[in-house]
mmCIF file of all heavy atoms in Angstrom:
data_model
loop_
_atom_site.group_PDB
_atom_site.id
_atom_site.type_symbol
_atom_site.label_atom_id
_atom_site.label_comp_id
_atom_site.label_asym_id
_atom_site.label_seq_id
_atom_site.Cartn_x
_atom_site.Cartn_y
_atom_site.Cartn_z
ATOM 1 N N ALA Y 114 16.256 -26.747 -53.547
ATOM 2 C CA ALA Y 114 16.588 -25.470 -54.176
ATOM 3 C C ALA Y 114 15.823 -24.318 -53.540
ATOM 4 O O ALA Y 114 16.390 -23.245 -53.279
ATOM 5 C CB ALA Y 114 16.290 -25.536 -55.677
ATOM 6 N N GLU Y 115 14.529 -24.525 -53.275
ATOM 7 C CA GLU Y 115 13.715 -23.448 -52.705
ATOM 8 C C GLU Y 115 14.186 -23.078 -51.297
ATOM 9 O O GLU Y 115 14.312 -21.896 -50.960
ATOM 10 C CB GLU Y 115 12.236 -23.855 -52.660
ATOM 11 C CG GLU Y 115 11.633 -24.139 -54.032
ATOM 12 C CD GLU Y 115 11.697 -25.604 -54.413
ATOM 13 O OE1 GLU Y 115 12.632 -26.304 -53.939
ATOM 14 O OE2 GLU Y 115 10.836 -26.053 -55.177
ATOM 15 N N VAL Y 116 14.432 -24.095 -50.481
ATOM 16 C CA VAL Y 116 14.886 -23.840 -49.109
ATOM 17 C C VAL Y 116 16.245 -23.145 -49.125
ATOM 18 O O VAL Y 116 16.488 -22.186 -48.373
ATOM 19 C CB VAL Y 116 14.955 -25.148 -48.300
ATOM 20 C CG1 VAL Y 116 15.691 -24.943 -46.980
ATOM 21 C CG2 VAL Y 116 13.541 -25.675 -48.026
ATOM 22 N N SER Y 117 17.144 -23.609 -49.998
ATOM 23 C CA SER Y 117 18.464 -22.982 -50.094
ATOM 24 C C SER Y 117 18.362 -21.530 -50.525
ATOM 25 O O SER Y 117 19.064 -20.647 -49.991
ATOM 26 C CB SER Y 117 19.340 -23.763 -51.084
ATOM 27 O OG SER Y 117 19.558 -25.083 -50.639
ATOM 28 N N ALA Y 118 17.483 -21.244 -51.492
ATOM 29 C CA ALA Y 118 17.307 -19.865 -51.954
ATOM 30 C C ALA Y 118 16.682 -18.994 -50.874
ATOM 31 O O ALA Y 118 17.079 -17.832 -50.687
ATOM 32 C CB ALA Y 118 16.453 -19.843 -53.221
ATOM 33 N N ILE Y 119 15.712 -19.542 -50.137
ATOM 34 C CA ILE Y 119 15.071 -18.779 -49.058
ATOM 35 C C ILE Y 119 16.076 -18.479 -47.953
ATOM 36 O O ILE Y 119 16.135 -17.360 -47.422
ATOM 37 C CB ILE Y 119 13.846 -19.541 -48.515
ATOM 38 C CG1 ILE Y 119 12.720 -19.530 -49.555
ATOM 39 C CG2 ILE Y 119 13.362 -18.932 -47.198
ATOM 40 C CD1 ILE Y 119 11.557 -20.443 -49.213
ATOM 41 N N ARG Y 120 16.891 -19.454 -47.593
ATOM 42 C CA ARG Y 120 17.921 -19.239 -46.570
ATOM 43 C C ARG Y 120 18.871 -18.121 -46.982
ATOM 44 O O ARG Y 120 19.209 -17.237 -46.190
ATOM 45 C CB ARG Y 120 18.705 -20.531 -46.336
ATOM 46 C CG ARG Y 120 17.953 -21.612 -45.570
ATOM 47 C CD ARG Y 120 18.736 -22.913 -45.584
ATOM 48 N NE ARG Y 120 18.082 -23.953 -44.791
ATOM 49 C CZ ARG Y 120 18.404 -25.236 -44.824
ATOM 50 N NH1 ARG Y 120 19.378 -25.642 -45.654
ATOM 51 N NH2 ARG Y 120 17.768 -26.117 -44.073
ATOM 52 N N ALA Y 121 19.316 -18.168 -48.257
ATOM 53 C CA ALA Y 121 20.255 -17.153 -48.749
ATOM 54 C C ALA Y 121 19.604 -15.774 -48.810
ATOM 55 O O ALA Y 121 20.233 -14.762 -48.483
ATOM 56 C CB ALA Y 121 20.774 -17.558 -50.127
ATOM 57 N N ALA Y 122 18.337 -15.719 -49.221
ATOM 58 C CA ALA Y 122 17.629 -14.439 -49.296
ATOM 59 C C ALA Y 122 17.456 -13.836 -47.908
ATOM 60 O O ALA Y 122 17.650 -12.622 -47.714
ATOM 61 C CB ALA Y 122 16.272 -14.628 -49.967
ATOM 62 N N CYS Y 123 17.085 -14.660 -46.942
ATOM 63 C CA CYS Y 123 16.922 -14.175 -45.571
ATOM 64 C C CYS Y 123 18.254 -13.684 -45.008
ATOM 65 O O CYS Y 123 18.320 -12.652 -44.324
ATOM 66 C CB CYS Y 123 16.344 -15.274 -44.682
ATOM 67 S SG CYS Y 123 14.607 -15.659 -44.984
ATOM 68 N N ALA Y 124 19.328 -14.429 -45.297
ATOM 69 C CA ALA Y 124 20.651 -14.026 -44.810
ATOM 70 C C ALA Y 124 21.068 -12.688 -45.430
ATOM 71 O O ALA Y 124 21.656 -11.838 -44.762
ATOM 72 C CB ALA Y 124 21.677 -15.104 -45.146
ATOM 73 N N ARG Y 125 20.745 -12.510 -46.691
ATOM 74 C CA ARG Y 125 21.117 -11.259 -47.368
ATOM 75 C C ARG Y 125 20.399 -10.062 -46.752
ATOM 76 O O ARG Y 125 20.988 -8.985 -46.598
ATOM 77 C CB ARG Y 125 20.795 -11.356 -48.853
ATOM 78 C CG ARG Y 125 21.083 -10.081 -49.610
ATOM 79 C CD ARG Y 125 20.944 -10.266 -51.099
ATOM 80 N NE ARG Y 125 21.108 -9.002 -51.810
ATOM 81 C CZ ARG Y 125 21.096 -8.881 -53.130
ATOM 82 N NH1 ARG Y 125 20.940 -9.959 -53.891
ATOM 83 N NH2 ARG Y 125 21.236 -7.695 -53.700
ATOM 84 N N LEU Y 126 19.128 -10.242 -46.405
ATOM 85 C CA LEU Y 126 18.349 -9.148 -45.829
ATOM 86 C C LEU Y 126 18.454 -9.086 -44.307
ATOM 87 O O LEU Y 126 17.950 -8.140 -43.697
ATOM 88 C CB LEU Y 126 16.874 -9.307 -46.214
ATOM 89 C CG LEU Y 126 16.534 -9.219 -47.708
ATOM 90 C CD1 LEU Y 126 15.039 -9.389 -47.910
ATOM 91 C CD2 LEU Y 126 17.012 -7.890 -48.302
ATOM 92 N N ASN Y 127 19.088 -10.121 -43.715
ATOM 93 C CA ASN Y 127 19.140 -10.238 -42.255
ATOM 94 C C ASN Y 127 17.733 -10.158 -41.674
ATOM 95 O O ASN Y 127 17.445 -9.427 -40.726
ATOM 96 C CB ASN Y 127 20.027 -9.146 -41.651
ATOM 97 C CG ASN Y 127 20.343 -9.414 -40.181
ATOM 98 O OD1 ASN Y 127 20.386 -10.562 -39.739
ATOM 99 N ND2 ASN Y 127 20.525 -8.349 -39.413
ATOM 100 N N ALA Y 128 16.834 -10.937 -42.280
ATOM 101 C CA ALA Y 128 15.421 -10.922 -41.895
ATOM 102 C C ALA Y 128 14.802 -12.267 -42.248
ATOM 103 O O ALA Y 128 15.347 -13.024 -43.049
ATOM 104 C CB ALA Y 128 14.687 -9.801 -42.621
ATOM 105 N N ILE Y 129 13.673 -12.565 -41.614
ATOM 106 C CA ILE Y 129 12.972 -13.811 -41.948
ATOM 107 C C ILE Y 129 11.665 -13.527 -42.706
ATOM 108 O O ILE Y 129 10.974 -14.459 -43.101
ATOM 109 C CB ILE Y 129 12.664 -14.635 -40.679
ATOM 110 C CG1 ILE Y 129 11.741 -13.848 -39.726
ATOM 111 C CG2 ILE Y 129 13.950 -15.046 -39.992
ATOM 112 C CD1 ILE Y 129 11.226 -14.691 -38.564
ATOM 113 N N ASP Y 130 11.362 -12.273 -42.894
ATOM 114 C CA ASP Y 130 10.136 -11.866 -43.584
ATOM 115 C C ASP Y 130 10.471 -11.448 -45.011
ATOM 116 O O ASP Y 130 11.139 -10.435 -45.233
ATOM 117 C CB ASP Y 130 9.480 -10.707 -42.824
ATOM 118 C CG ASP Y 130 8.093 -10.361 -43.360
ATOM 119 O OD1 ASP Y 130 7.802 -10.691 -44.527
ATOM 120 O OD2 ASP Y 130 7.303 -9.756 -42.612
ATOM 121 N N LEU Y 131 10.021 -12.242 -45.961
ATOM 122 C CA LEU Y 131 10.269 -11.945 -47.377
ATOM 123 C C LEU Y 131 9.001 -11.463 -48.078
ATOM 124 O O LEU Y 131 8.786 -11.720 -49.260
ATOM 125 C CB LEU Y 131 10.816 -13.191 -48.079
ATOM 126 C CG LEU Y 131 12.148 -13.740 -47.564
ATOM 127 C CD1 LEU Y 131 12.556 -14.991 -48.344
ATOM 128 C CD2 LEU Y 131 13.245 -12.684 -47.650
ATOM 129 N N SER Y 132 8.172 -10.747 -47.339
ATOM 130 C CA SER Y 132 6.927 -10.220 -47.916
ATOM 131 C C SER Y 132 7.213 -9.441 -49.191
ATOM 132 O O SER Y 132 8.178 -8.676 -49.265
ATOM 133 C CB SER Y 132 6.236 -9.299 -46.910
ATOM 134 O OG SER Y 132 5.828 -10.013 -45.773
ATOM 135 N N GLY Y 133 6.368 -9.637 -50.190
ATOM 136 C CA GLY Y 133 6.536 -8.940 -51.457
ATOM 137 C C GLY Y 133 7.460 -9.652 -52.423
ATOM 138 O O GLY Y 133 7.638 -9.206 -53.562
ATOM 139 N N SER Y 134 8.033 -10.766 -51.989
ATOM 140 C CA SER Y 134 8.954 -11.503 -52.853
ATOM 141 C C SER Y 134 8.217 -12.535 -53.705
ATOM 142 O O SER Y 134 7.122 -12.976 -53.371
ATOM 143 C CB SER Y 134 10.016 -12.220 -52.006
ATOM 144 O OG SER Y 134 10.815 -11.304 -51.311
ATOM 145 N N VAL Y 135 8.866 -12.909 -54.784
ATOM 146 C CA VAL Y 135 8.377 -13.970 -55.661
ATOM 147 C C VAL Y 135 9.463 -15.031 -55.732
ATOM 148 O O VAL Y 135 10.652 -14.707 -55.831
ATOM 149 C CB VAL Y 135 8.088 -13.449 -57.081
ATOM 150 C CG1 VAL Y 135 7.568 -14.581 -57.969
ATOM 151 C CG2 VAL Y 135 7.089 -12.297 -57.041
ATOM 152 N N ILE Y 136 9.074 -16.298 -55.653
ATOM 153 C CA ILE Y 136 10.035 -17.377 -55.854
ATOM 154 C C ILE Y 136 9.701 -18.090 -57.155
ATOM 155 O O ILE Y 136 8.550 -18.442 -57.409
ATOM 156 C CB ILE Y 136 10.067 -18.365 -54.665
ATOM 157 C CG1 ILE Y 136 11.225 -19.366 -54.840
ATOM 158 C CG2 ILE Y 136 8.737 -19.082 -54.472
ATOM 159 C CD1 ILE Y 136 11.551 -20.149 -53.580
ATOM 160 N N TYR Y 137 10.708 -18.221 -58.011
ATOM 161 C CA TYR Y 137 10.582 -18.927 -59.276
ATOM 162 C C TYR Y 137 11.269 -20.275 -59.104
ATOM 163 O O TYR Y 137 12.475 -20.335 -58.841
ATOM 164 C CB TYR Y 137 11.237 -18.130 -60.412
ATOM 165 C CG TYR Y 137 10.592 -16.786 -60.642
ATOM 166 C CD1 TYR Y 137 10.976 -15.673 -59.883
ATOM 167 C CD2 TYR Y 137 9.602 -16.625 -61.602
ATOM 168 C CE1 TYR Y 137 10.371 -14.434 -60.078
ATOM 169 C CE2 TYR Y 137 9.001 -15.382 -61.810
ATOM 170 C CZ TYR Y 137 9.393 -14.295 -61.034
ATOM 171 O OH TYR Y 137 8.797 -13.065 -61.226
ATOM 172 N N SER Y 138 10.510 -21.343 -59.217
ATOM 173 C CA SER Y 138 11.042 -22.682 -59.002
ATOM 174 C C SER Y 138 10.851 -23.520 -60.255
ATOM 175 O O SER Y 138 9.768 -23.523 -60.849
ATOM 176 C CB SER Y 138 10.326 -23.348 -57.820
ATOM 177 O OG SER Y 138 10.814 -24.659 -57.616
ATOM 178 N N THR Y 139 11.905 -24.225 -60.652
ATOM 179 C CA THR Y 139 11.797 -25.026 -61.868
ATOM 180 C C THR Y 139 10.800 -26.169 -61.710
ATOM 181 O O THR Y 139 10.268 -26.669 -62.706
ATOM 182 C CB THR Y 139 13.164 -25.596 -62.278
ATOM 183 O OG1 THR Y 139 13.676 -26.416 -61.212
ATOM 184 C CG2 THR Y 139 14.139 -24.470 -62.582
ATOM 185 N N CYS Y 140 10.552 -26.585 -60.474
ATOM 186 C CA CYS Y 140 9.571 -27.640 -60.218
ATOM 187 C C CYS Y 140 8.636 -27.199 -59.096
ATOM 188 O O CYS Y 140 9.027 -26.389 -58.237
ATOM 189 C CB CYS Y 140 10.270 -28.948 -59.829
ATOM 190 S SG CYS Y 140 9.164 -30.373 -59.664
ATOM 191 N N GLU Y 141 7.436 -27.701 -59.105
ATOM 192 C CA GLU Y 141 6.461 -27.391 -58.061
ATOM 193 C C GLU Y 141 7.053 -27.707 -56.685
ATOM 194 O O GLU Y 141 7.536 -28.815 -56.457
ATOM 195 C CB GLU Y 141 5.209 -28.217 -58.291
ATOM 196 C CG GLU Y 141 4.062 -27.903 -57.359
ATOM 197 C CD GLU Y 141 2.790 -28.664 -57.739
ATOM 198 O OE1 GLU Y 141 2.861 -29.558 -58.620
ATOM 199 O OE2 GLU Y 141 1.729 -28.359 -57.159
#
Side-chain angles (χ1 to χ4, degrees):
E115 299 93 332
V116 168
S117 297
I119 289 170
R120 287 171 177 167
C123 288
R125 177 172 175 177
L126 297 180
N127 192 29
I129 62 171
D130 188 338
L131 299 179
S132 295
S134 296
V135 180
I136 188 166
Y137 298 85
S138 179
T139 59
C140 186
E141 186 174 9

